[in-house]
Amino acid sequence: MLFVLLSVLGATSIYASSASEDVNYSNDEVQSTVTGVVTDENGNPLPGASVVVKGTTTGAVADFDGNYSISVASEGVLVFSFVGYSASEVQVNGRTTINISLQPDASLLDEVVLVGYGTQKKGEVTGAIESVTAEQLSIVQVSSTIEAIKGQIAGVDVQATGGRPGQNPTVRIRGRRSISASNDPLYVVDGIPLIDGSNSMADINPDDIASMQVLKDAAATAVYGSRGANGVILVSTNRGRVGKTKVTYSSRYGVTSATRLVDMMNGEEFADLKRESRRIGWNGAIPADTEVFLDPIELESLSAGRSTDWQDLVLGDGWQTNHQIGVSGGSENTTFSTSIGYFKEQGIISNQDFERFSGRVNVDHKINDIFKVGASFLIAKTEQNWGSDATVQEALSNNPLGVPYDADGNLAFLPTNDGIRTNPLNELVEGAFIDERQQTRIFAPIYLDINIMEGLKWTTTFGPDIRIGRRGTFAGSLTNTNRGGPGRAGIINVNDFGYTLENLLTYNKALTPKQNLKVTLLQSIQKSRLEINTGNVTGIPYESQSFYNLGSATQGGVLTSGLTEWALASFMGRVNYDFDGKYLFQASIRADGSSRLAPGNQWNYFPGVSAGWRLAQEEFLAGTFVDELKLRASYGEVGNTSVLPYQTAGRLGSSVYAFGEAPALGFGLSEIPNEDLTWEVSKTLDIGVDYGFFNNRLVGSIDWFRTNTVDLLLERTLPTTSGYGIVLQNIGATRTQGLEFSVSYGIIDNDGDGFNWDMDLNISGYKEEITELALKDANGNPIDDTGNNWFIGSPINVFFDYEKQGIYQSSEEALATSAEQKVPGEIKLRDVDGDGVITPDDRRILGSDVPDYYGGWNNKFKYQGFDLGVFFVFRQGHMVQSNFHANNNALFGRYNNLDVDYWTIDNPTNAYPRPNENQESPRNGSTLRYFDGSFIKLRNISLGYTLPQSITEKLKMEKLRLSVSGQNLWFISDYETFDPEVGEDEGSLNSSVVPSNKMWSLSLNATF
Amino acid sequence: MNRKIYIILILALAFVTKSCDKFIEEELVTDVSAASYYTTAAGLRDAVRATYSTFKPFYGQEMGAAMMTFGTDIWTNGADGGHKVFNFYDGGLNGSESYIPASWDNWYQGINQANGVINRSADVEMDDSEKTVLIAEVRFLRAFYYFNVVTTWGDAHLSLEETVGIEVEANRTSQSEIYNQAIVPDLEFAIANLPDEQSDYGRATKPAAEFLLAKALLTRSYTAFSEGSDASRAETLLGNVINNYGFSLLPNFADLWDINNQENSEMVFVIPNSKSQVDSGIDGFGHRWHLYFLHEYDVRRGMTRDIANGRPWKRHRPTDFMLTLWDRDVDSRYDDSFKHVWFANKDEPPTDAVGDEPARAALAIGDTAIYIPGPGKDVDWPQSRQDGVPYLVYSNDEYTERLFPSLNKWIDATRPDRQKTQGQRDFILMRLGDAYLLRAEARLQQTNTTGAADDINVIRMRSAVPGMEAASQITPGDVTLDFLLDERARELTGEGHRWWDLARTGKLVERTAMHNPGAAPNIQDYHTLRPIPQNQIDRTLGGYPQNPGYPQ
């Protein structure tokens, strides 16, 4: 392939010099001034449309009424263009007035999309790439760009965990490939691959984003090699255009409240639970209340009929506001786009909030015909007040018979005499608990373009990415953390510097009028350096200092520091070829060398090939209802080294001991050195169709894919008799097969101000199965690895446990004893092998967290100035293992409990076991925590009104839109918690999760 | 213009272009690896220190308390906490109970660390005599960990080599082989090479190795694979400990629990805790047993939780049987081990009579708030007398899972705050008092009741109530295995020996069923071994056998 590239480069240098002579020649021509009006297809002026003299850099911009004026040679050609409209070339032929009406871009498929190290017309793309427009991003009003794409793209699964302001959701493109290596997609902002995953996107203001492209198949992502294993999201930010300076302002304000509360027991219900938990045996007597309720407050509450609703006390209303001012424009040689944004969300818990100031300047400057430089400068400052995890936990767990305030109206620290359960309102006292996470981010890619000759361009990009983070924590004496002990404070400082340096050579050449060739060569290095240091102290003398005087603490603290570095070196080459715009072909190869692997395994090569056939361009479909029909097929390989640095070394763990009073710190074996650690490689075959019918009223795509991942990086648990419990290893293989479907349909399509109904629907599903594991039987066939819960033919993450069959009833006492050494009222497990006793062999696979299908459904209605959007997201058929229930459904009569139907001798239910004070969780309580996690959620409903132009003109505005919207107003799910969306890591859904919130908001968008 | 840009570009490229392989070279800065560090003398010393640290996640933590205290004749469960299955011996005591894998993992991690030190030491250049002592320390520790493995699980995995690479197989070696290949030869090596004393307090010494070997041999003497000389060797070794190194019993039993005199003449081997490391949080495994044996004083009239009285987790409560063991007129050890009086630490107004509760006078700080008369003294406290005092009195019939005589041995009033769970006390693994009782047991095994009575009398004499010295003494005719176990309870209660003492002597099921009502309905013969962790069974290639009796 390299040979082809070189010969192409050599053969074409002749053309370049003649091209530059043309330019010189035209400058000597006789000039005249041409004026006119640029309008759209309906005759409305197109302010900001650009007019350029073909073959020169001379240009002009239409004013507010579409008028332009430009100097041009009488034999010259003018090129008129405007975003969303087809460019039009007009021969001047000596005329001085040229009025032109531009036609809307015939096909959306002709839009130019980012494809990684370059752009392509959408119609010519051969990989599975989906776009998200700025308009789509603005549907849902959230702090994070990532949150905004939820449900909008087939195959992209975005899941949030709870409603804490500033929380980052997890993003999975086409499911999960690896269980140990990272599954985060790669984000590429203005051409620079970000060092970090989703976290590094949090600083980017959604309003600054012009478009996003999601690269899903391996042929498309192979150009990013090892970093593209989990899909790539390309983000381009707003850039200026030549023309009148444009000012935009947008603003919104919304009020938030918990979407749903959970049904915990009230005082009377809890009292019954507690009485039952104290019953002597399962069928004995319940002791007198004076023996059950040892705390006088409980008895007092019972006789007074008093019950405290703790959720109600800690949850309030929050709000969200966002303001953004953008200014963009430019002259012929220099364009700019700048913006300032402010976002703040006050959580529904009073000490939780998130705030972001962001500023952006994008500048592009043409030095001359050869050189062009530019920069995208982002600076953002965010501050998240995390709040105390104990707030919700205590609100859920506190005894409803307890009281939040004492007789004098002061906050009671302990609502009952249970020393563990503190009053959640203590966490909310001003200054009592602080967890403040600040981050300053500077991300400033700069580039230099060199047009070496016609079609041959060199680009050097340098992208430094600096993140300075500081987390300060403070917990006063009267918090759950300290329970009356002395205050604690701590600081974590994070200093993260990464950079990317890339040299890119692209060559475009029309080999014949029908054959186009494009060659891209890349050399790239990337490096990250992360320093973390922390200090924690106890015994803060005066609490007002918060974490600002750690040295004054009475007890010295723990200091830690660490340095983590990694580097990646890469080379990539790509060839695109098309014949007649019908037959499309692309091939690429990338070589990556990663510092995270041991020498010898550091380098690997990742090829990708794809081809497309645009059937719609063929004669036999000309003039039919088919506007676009493209068959695509691709195959690519990508690698994953998203293992943490230094994992091959076999690091020692520090140990603590003392000899007398003297410290005796040591270093012990803690990791198996694994120098064999190598690349996890995913090989994806993708076959897709892009279609557009009926004048593109019905457009969409369908993709089928199959990914085989080999040398899977798995954190494998080991029999601990070896001295090690876990090792990261390349073992086994998985296969993921899926189908993605998306359609956009203009159901009712009236021109102008008539009634319009557009619908977008996307549905995706995939099956994941393990095909190979390290353990083999005598014949070399892979066998299940029960110790790791990995089973051939099942997804990586399955729930392997006993199955609850019911509750042992009073009549089953003998069976309960013989099968499980239990008594009536306890959980009855299914005896899978029917041998009459429950043994570990009775465990089976209960389900997995892989959904059957998921997606989004969006409806947009328009009539005159009004628009209405209704947007649902859904995820169906996956199982959830709920830690939330582990904490809140322990049924032991000490802490409050979910209001469930539990067994008593008088209530022979099969739902939940009998409460028992002698166990912190019922035996086999894990079997009560598996749920069908399916849900449908009304993500957004919004009503907008765009003022008629007659009014906006009077206001000297281009556009003004007002809207009201409601988010997360409703969902349906069998899984009863605050929110069925639990994020990928179901373990994070614990009792301290912050309830998700719904929001009603008003917003305004103005363009001047 | 263009030329300038080109020149700058060429210069810039020259600066940034580096060799690719150099660019992606990984350098370990924050951490060290065994391959580089364990080859140095400093690295080997650190590796040895790390081998000691295996003690800490078990001893002095809740895991050790639950596994060694619950389910015995002398302790039963209090109100709070999980892991009560160790007391109940119900179906929940299986290979998935979290302390089962946690303790198994811990000992095997320590064993592998010890194997690593022993294997790698050959290549380390350092003073040979120092190296020999270090290896002897580590072999002592390996023997200790293997001894805990066999006394907890019986037959188990045996490896004397450091694990290299990924090991998914495990063997099941008979207990007798583990004694023969690991415990006994390791300790013989340790005895031969360890010094009598170490300058670092807490390092293994020759007497500690003799003590451990004696205990191991004594344990083996009860088994089917015992060797004829086990009990006599144990007696000799313990004799060495008692006579050769200058250890002496503290004059008063109560002095053992003086937090300001922990490094005393009675200590043979302890896990030291550094107060500064514990308080600063560097050591997360400070001694926590001060939490587990306390009753719920802190919500009673006149009382609130404070540092001096401790943080009551109410995990372990004495059985009625244990409270009958001491004759308090003769023996001071109950009074030296348990707390009787709690003094008010907050003012309390007078209260009116409610139901059964009589009216009580006001309490001022420093007044008696709670009084537990304790065994033998209840007769002095009829209800009428209890009702007549301003403070609360709990007699034997009023003990509950929340209210009970509280063991005071581990109380740690030096903790920086009342919530701090980690304390600074050393955890006592071997003390001279125990050496006497073990020698008595070794002598009893050889039917030398006279010698056994002599040893027991030494212990009893030390804690005799003044004037009752003669009455405290026993005769050879009194010495039976049950008497000896009673005596061990009187002396060593709450020190973490009981479950192993009963299992060793074959008395676990009999005595626990007789005296612990929580355990009585369920305990069976197979409970003298703990279940093999379910994850060991699941993760081992070809599986791993479960101990008999547990769900297979």
Side-chain angles (χ1 to χ4, degrees), chain A residues 368 563 667 669 720 722 843, chain B residues 2 30 38 105 113 163 538:
Chain A
N368 54 32
L563 170 69
F667 287 95
L669 299 166
T720 50
S722 67
R843 294 172 297 173
Chain B
N2 290 353
T30 304
Y38 277 5
D105 295 357
Q113 175 69 26
T163 304
D538 288 343

Side-chain angles (χ1 to χ4, degrees), chain A residues 278 294 367-368 370-371 413 417-420 448 450 458 460 482-486 488 499 501 503 525-527 536 538 555-558 561-565 567-569 571 593-597 602-603 645-652 655-670 672 674 716-725 727 729 775-776 783 785-788 800 820-821 838-841 843 894 917-920 923, chain B residues 1-2 5-6 9 13 16 18 20-21 23-34 37-38 46-47 49-50 52-53 55-56 77-82 84 88-92 94 101 104-105 108-109 112-113 116 120 137 157 162-163 165-170 200-203 263 269-277 279-283 296 299-300 305 311 314-315 401-402 416-420 524 526 534-536 538-541 551-552:
Chain A
R278 265 66 178 172
L294 297 172
I367 298 171
N368 54 32
I370 299 177
F371 295 104
F413 183 65
N417 64 20
D418 191 321
I420 300 282
L448 171 69
I450 310 170
W458 173 284
T460 294
N482 295 320
R483 296 202 185 93
R488 288 160 202 266
Y499 66 82
L501 176 68
N503 291 303
I525 54 173
Q526 194 162 22
K527 186 151 194 159
N536 288 292
T538 314
Q555 289 156 49
V558 183
S561 65
L563 170 69
T564 308
E565 290 180 299
L568 188 72
F571 299 94
S594 168
S595 67
R596 302 174 195 219
L597 301 175
Q602 286 180 317
W603 286 91
Y646 314 121
Q647 293 213 339
T648 59
R651 288 166 297 181
L652 295 172
S655 65
V656 178
Y657 205 71
F659 291 137
E661 184 59 28
L665 307 180
F667 287 95
L669 299 166
S670 65
I672 303 175
N674 187 357
R716 176 183 181 196
T717 56
L718 300 171
T720 50
T721 39
S722 67
Y724 300 98
V727 67
Q729 226 190 333
L775 300 178
K776 303 274 195 294
I783 53 174
D785 185 342
T786 311
N788 281 297
F800 179 71
E820 302 186 52
Q821 290 190 18
I838 300 298
T839 64
D841 293 336
R843 294 172 297 173
R894 179 169 173 187
E917 66 163 332
N918 275 321
Q919 50 200 24
E920 289 192 328
R923 267 181 69 195
Chain B
M1 180 72 171
N2 290 353
I5 296 173
Y6 280 126
L9 265 180
L13 272 177
V16 300
K18 273 200 268 184
C20 267
D21 286 336
F23 182 74
I24 57 173
E25 199 173 289
E26 186 171 68
E27 190 190 356
L28 201 54
V29 176
T30 304
D31 298 295
V32 283
S33 73
Y37 192 54
Y38 277 5
D46 275 353
R49 293 192 188 103
Y52 279 94
S53 67
F55 280 127
K56 303 204 74 167
N77 61 288
D80 289 356
K84 290 179 187 169
F88 298 147
Y89 294 98
D90 63 14
N94 57 46
W104 171 276
D105 295 357
Y108 276 108
Q109 193 184 345
N112 187 54
Q113 175 69 26
R120 288 168 188 264
E137 287 179 39
H157 177 79
E162 180 187 351
T163 304
I166 292 149
E167 184 56 75
V168 293
E169 296 182 30
D200 285 338
Y201 182 73
R203 278 193 193 269
E263 295 183 23
F269 187 63
V270 304
I271 301 167
N273 276 303
S274 156
K275 181 166 172 60
S276 61
Q277 282 193 155
D279 286 354
S280 64
I282 291 169
D283 188 353
E296 193 180 58
V299 299
R300 308 292 149 192
R305 184 180 300 183
R311 183 172 170 181
K314 34 194 186 296
R315 295 287 192 270
E401 289 183 355
R402 293 164 194 282
D417 63 82
R418 66 179 194 180
Q419 290 305 106
K420 182 88 175 176
Q524 295 179 47
Y526 70 80
Q534 188 61 42
N535 60 20
Q536 176 72 27
D538 288 343
R539 293 173 186 179
T540 308
L541 185 61
Q552 299 290 315

Side-chain angles (χ1 to χ4, degrees), chain A residues 524-819:
Chain A
S524 160
I525 54 173
Q526 194 162 22
K527 186 151 194 159
S528 164
R529 185 178 199 284
L530 173 69
E531 277 180 48
I532 297 179
N533 51 70
T534 69
N536 288 292
V537 297
T538 314
I540 297 294
Y542 48 98
E543 298 202 340
S544 55
Q545 66 168 267
S546 182
F547 49 82
Y548 291 106
N549 189 0
L550 298 189
S552 70
T554 54
Q555 289 156 49
V558 183
L559 290 175
T560 67
S561 65
L563 170 69
T564 308
E565 290 180 299
W566 58 263
L568 188 72
S570 315
F571 299 94
M572 188 277 288
R574 177 174 63 194
V575 179
N576 290 74
Y577 170 82
D578 75 87
F579 181 81
D580 206 12
K582 282 189 230 171
Y583 310 106
L584 314 162
F585 175 77
Q586 175 181 309
S588 67
I589 187 156
R590 173 153 170 153
D592 268 348
S594 168
S595 67
R596 302 174 195 219
L597 301 175
N601 289 328
Q602 286 180 317
W603 286 91
N604 206 354
Y605 297 89
F606 305 104
V609 290
S610 57
W613 178 22
R614 296 184 77 182
L615 285 130
Q617 310 282 27
E618 298 286 357
E619 296 289 320
F620 57 84
L621 283 176
T624 64
F625 66 90
V626 178
D627 304 303
E628 173 63 294
L629 189 62
K630 181 170 65 179
L631 291 178
R632 292 183 275 110
S634 75
Y635 173 79
E637 296 182 5
V638 286
N640 196 343
T641 50
S642 291
V643 301
L644 297 171
Y646 314 121
Q647 293 213 339
T648 59
R651 288 166 297 181
L652 295 172
S654 64
S655 65
V656 178
Y657 205 71
F659 291 137
E661 184 59 28
L665 307 180
F667 287 95
L669 299 166
S670 65
E671 273 181 353
I672 303 175
N674 187 357
E675 295 197 349
D676 300 332
L677 217 54
T678 185
W679 299 85
E680 173 181 303
V681 177
S682 295
K683 305 169 180 180
T684 302
L685 180 65
D686 185 295
I687 295 171
V689 183
D690 294 333
Y691 58 89
F693 303 133
F694 313 114
N695 293 325
N696 285 323
R697 261 178 75 181
L698 184 68
V699 299
S701 57
I702 301 170
D703 274 270
W704 171 88
F705 68 92
R706 181 163 75 197
T707 301
N708 286 313
T709 302
V710 297
D711 288 336
L712 207 59
L713 280 167
L714 284 178
E715 205 147 70
R716 176 183 181 196
T717 56
L718 300 171
T720 50
T721 39
S722 67
Y724 300 98
I726 209 158
V727 67
L728 184 67
Q729 226 190 333
N730 290 99
I731 36 169
T734 57
R735 176 162 62 219
T736 307
Q737 268 187 106
L739 204 55
E740 290 159 3
F741 170 78
S742 70
V743 62
S744 296
Y745 182 35
I747 297 173
I748 297 173
D749 191 8
N750 286 311
D751 283 343
D753 285 347
F755 182 69
N756 278 282
W757 177 11
D758 292 328
M759 183 201 82
D760 303 313
L761 173 69
N762 71 77
I763 299 182
S764 323
Y766 63 96
K767 272 183 100 137
E768 176 186 282
E769 57 181 315
I770 295 173
T771 54
E772 185 116 351
L773 285 170
L775 300 178
K776 303 274 195 294
D777 67 11
N779 302 322
N781 297 317
I783 53 174
D784 293 344
D785 185 342
T786 311
N788 281 297
N789 289 358
W790 295 330
F791 303 93
I792 302 294
S794 294
I796 294 173
N797 195 8
V798 293
F799 303 115
F800 179 71
D801 201 346
Y802 299 98
E803 188 187 4
K804 174 182 157 244
Q805 196 182 358
I807 304 296
Y808 282 113
Q809 301 298 329
S810 308
S811 57
E812 296 175 307
E813 189 173 5
L815 177 65
T817 308
S818 64

